[in-house]
Amino acid sequence: MEFSTGFGWTRLPVLAAAFILGSVLTASAQIIPPFSPGPAAADEEAETAEAPDVNDPDVMKGIDVDKLDWGQLAIDAGTLNDIIAAKKRAQAAANNGLNWSSNANTNGSSAVTVKQSVFEFWDTRIGADMTVANEPRTMSELMAQKAANGGSLPQSSGSAWATATAPGAGQIWDKTALEARVDPGSEQSKLGASLTKSVPLSGDTSLTLQNGYSVNQQGTTAVPGIGGHITRNYETDQSAKVTITDTGTSVTAGQTLSTTDDKWLRKVGAEQKLFDNVTVSGSVGETSQGAINKSVTAGFKKSW
């Protein structure tokens, strides 16, 4: 006798797939995921941790809440702007305050310079240059100062000055510089002005023309039987300077005439920038005695 299932071999794969799928679902249902508190449980733990202790001191003890001035916490936007503007004005005043500098001289004295800006539009400044003699504290310092000053002690002196830079006059010149200086100790004073015009020659070459005028006054102290008198010297100078920006080279030619001389005194010079902040310059000029004045200098300048 033969038995037949009636399904046939073609249905065996379907039954196998159903059996495998049922096994997987049963295994997944038996896996229990680990416990993880939700957001609500985390907030409850944070509140429990931050809850104050009954033994903590009461910071509001003795304070009447009804009498507190809560209006102090309200800040108007205009008031905040006024505070910021006041801080900026205070900072600007500090930057424009007195600027002091001091350098020690070889003869034992100190060169002290003080200056202050008084008007920003014309870059007006006032200041004083002083030579302060240091009192020798020991015999060796006394002998060293006398040796450096030809047998005498250095004397304190000083001069006051004021400078201003004003705009020019259209196409005639670009800038006007004014200077006044008074030295009460030596009874000297100077008042000068210079006019500057810059003309570009090419992309990296420019020409600067300058005319200067000054009046130097020298007074003498009156002595018994001889009255003091004042002498004035008028001086003018003209110069032309060619600057080559790419190479850092400049060549200057000029001449000077004063009432104490009867002819123009000519001068030529050149300056070369070697590298950052280091320059070498030389000049050759005439003197009123007829001799030739030659000089070569090297300089280092650093600002910070």
Side-chain angles (χ1 to χ4, degrees):
M1 183 180 294
E2 294 181 0
F3 296 94
S4 176
T5 59
F7 290 99
W9 292 101
T10 58
R11 301 196 177 190
L12 287 180
V14 176
L15 293 175
F19 177 76
I20 295 173
L21 179 59
S23 301
V24 171
L25 294 177
T26 304
S28 301
Q30 293 177 355
I31 297 175
I32 302 175
F35 174 76
S36 59
D43 294 340
E44 292 178 358
E45 290 182 359
E47 293 178 358
T48 304
E50 296 178 358
D53 191 1
V54 294
N55 297 325
D56 292 341
D58 187 6
V59 296
M60 298 298 294
K61 183 178 181 181
I63 299 178
D64 189 357
V65 181
D66 296 334
K67 295 182 179 180
L68 293 178
D69 186 8
W70 300 101
Q72 295 181 0
L73 299 178
I75 300 178
D76 186 23
T79 305
L80 183 59
N81 293 333
D82 293 341
I83 296 174
I84 297 175
K87 290 184 177 180
K88 291 183 177 180
R89 288 194 299 268
Q91 184 177 3
N95 296 334
N96 295 330
L98 292 177
N99 186 5
W100 292 81
S101 63
S102 177
N103 295 315
N105 297 327
T106 57
N107 60 355
S109 62
S110 300
V112 180
T113 300
V114 56
K115 59 183 178 180
Q116 181 180 16
S117 177
V118 295
F119 190 46
E120 296 182 359
F121 181 71
W122 275 13
D123 192 19
T124 305
R125 300 176 182 271
I126 59 174
D129 298 331
M130 297 169 286
T131 300
V132 181
N134 300 323
E135 293 293 335
R137 293 171 295 181
T138 61
M139 184 59 66
S140 60
E141 291 183 359
L142 177 63
M143 299 300 294
Q145 289 186 12
K146 286 187 175 182
N149 292 274
S152 60
L153 292 176
Q155 301 295 323
S156 299
S157 60
S159 61
W161 53 265
T163 60
T165 302
Q171 300 296 329
I172 303 176
W173 69 85
D174 301 330
K175 183 177 65 175
T176 304
L178 306 175
E179 178 185 4
R181 182 177 292 271
V182 178
D183 187 349
S186 59
E187 298 186 6
Q188 292 181 353
S189 61
K190 178 182 179 180
L191 179 62
S194 63
L195 311 177
T196 305
K197 175 67 175 179
S198 297
V199 180
L201 300 180
S202 63
D204 60 345
T205 306
S206 62
L207 172 64
T208 302
L209 304 176
Q210 180 173 324
N211 290 336
Y213 310 91
S214 62
V215 179
N216 299 282
Q217 181 174 290
Q218 176 68 58
T220 57
T221 304
V223 297
I226 303 176
H229 64 280
I230 297 175
T231 59
R232 293 184 177 89
N233 177 29
Y234 299 89
E235 183 176 330
T236 179
D237 63 89
Q238 303 171 352
S239 65
K241 181 179 180 180
V242 178
T243 304
I244 304 175
T245 307
D246 291 346
T247 61
T249 306
S250 61
V251 180
T252 305
Q255 58 183 1
T256 304
L257 177 64
S258 64
T259 54
T260 57
D261 303 323
D262 57 354
K263 63 177 182 178
W264 287 93
L265 301 178
R266 296 173 177 84
K267 180 180 179 180
V268 294
E271 181 177 294
Q272 177 64 49
K273 182 178 180 180
L274 300 181
F275 43 89
D276 290 343
N277 307 318
V278 177
T279 58
V280 175
S281 60
S283 62
V284 178
E286 299 176 339
T287 61
S288 58
Q289 293 80 16
I292 301 298
N293 184 19
K294 303 177 182 179
S295 67
V296 177
T297 59
F300 173 81
K301 183 177 181 181
K302 178 68 175 179
S303 300
W304 61 84

